[in-house]
Amino acid sequence: LGWPGFVEFDDVNSKVLTYSAREKLYKIWDLVNYTELYQIEDREIQEIKISPGIMLLIYNRSPCGERVPLKILSIQDGEELQSF
């Protein structure tokens, strides 16, 4: 990882979230053994919020500016649970 990437430790879910700005790639790792679990590659993600059991993906505002697309993923396997 290089700047402006980041590493975020989530002890509640026992996960690590990394972001490579160069590759525009998020990776989710197991905090116990540091095994990579899955990747999220989406250039439209503006921010990711982590809560117990889920991740909220906040996307760039739509071109018309009227809505901000959202997705909720399972933090365990990256499965999409809901999108708005």
Side-chain angles (χ1 to χ4, degrees):
L1 288 180
W3 185 86
F6 66 83
V7 176
E8 183 176 327
F9 294 90
D10 174 24
D11 59 339
V12 172
N13 294 301
S14 297
K15 302 290 182 271
V16 178
L17 171 67
T18 61
Y19 176 67
S20 170
R22 186 177 324 121
E23 299 171 346
K24 306 286 190 216
L25 183 67
Y26 294 88
K27 293 182 181 181
I28 290 67
W29 307 78
D30 189 313
L31 185 59
V32 176
N33 58 20
Y34 300 107
T35 304
E36 183 181 327
L37 300 174
Y38 56 93
Q39 300 179 1
I40 302 171
E41 186 174 7
D42 192 331
R43 295 181 180 272
E44 294 301 314
I45 296 173
Q46 182 177 350
E47 189 174 355
I48 294 182
K49 299 286 188 179
I50 298 176
S51 295
I54 63 169
M55 288 189 303
L56 174 64
L57 280 56
I58 304 168
Y59 286 83
N60 293 321
R61 188 174 294 274
S62 65
C64 62
E66 293 182 5
R67 71 186 211 61
V68 176
L70 305 171
K71 277 187 189 175
I72 297 175
L73 306 181
S74 165
I75 197 155
Q76 300 304 321
D77 58 11
E79 177 185 351
E80 183 177 321
L81 303 175
Q82 195 164 5
S83 63
F84 308 91

